[in-house]
Amino acid sequence: MPIYEYKCKACDCEFETLVIRSSDPIRCPKCDQENVERMMSACSHKSEGKYVSSGGGSGSGCSGCSATSCATCH
């Protein structure tokens, strides 16, 4: 069961929620509206004691990262 990040289009509140079933409505915890959009979020995992980003974010500036190795910048 993944945790997704959302942004409410009504009040601009950003929040995370655990999604159990994709058919369940997602409501803003601040204004209780269902008018929300899922945001893209970078994920990371712990490898050999270091946190390694998925590379989905922008701005790390590392040119050495690839899908299988991040040893040059992490």
Side-chain angles (χ1 to χ4, degrees), residues 7-8 11 16 21 27 31-32 34-35 39-40 47 49 55 60 66-68 71 73:
K7 183 173 183 177
C8 178
C11 71
E16 297 177 341
R21 290 183 300 253
R27 302 184 79 85
C31 69
D32 202 37
E34 285 187 32
N35 191 12
M39 298 172 30
M40 292 294 291
S47 176
S60 74
S66 69
T68 58
C73 63

Side-chain angles (χ1 to χ4, degrees), residues 6-60:
Y6 289 90
K7 183 173 183 177
C8 178
K9 292 181 181 182
C11 71
D12 288 331
C13 176
E14 294 182 7
F15 61 97
E16 297 177 341
T17 190
L18 176 66
V19 177
I20 297 172
R21 290 183 300 253
S22 61
S23 61
D24 289 345
I26 306 299
R27 302 184 79 85
C28 174
K30 185 175 178 183
C31 69
D32 202 37
Q33 295 291 316
E34 285 187 32
N35 191 12
V36 299
E37 65 181 355
R38 195 169 85 189
M39 298 172 30
M40 292 294 291
S41 43
C43 64
S44 63
H45 67 278
K46 195 168 186 178
S47 176
E48 297 177 16
K50 299 178 186 178
Y51 284 98
V52 180
S53 175
S54 67
S58 62
S60 74

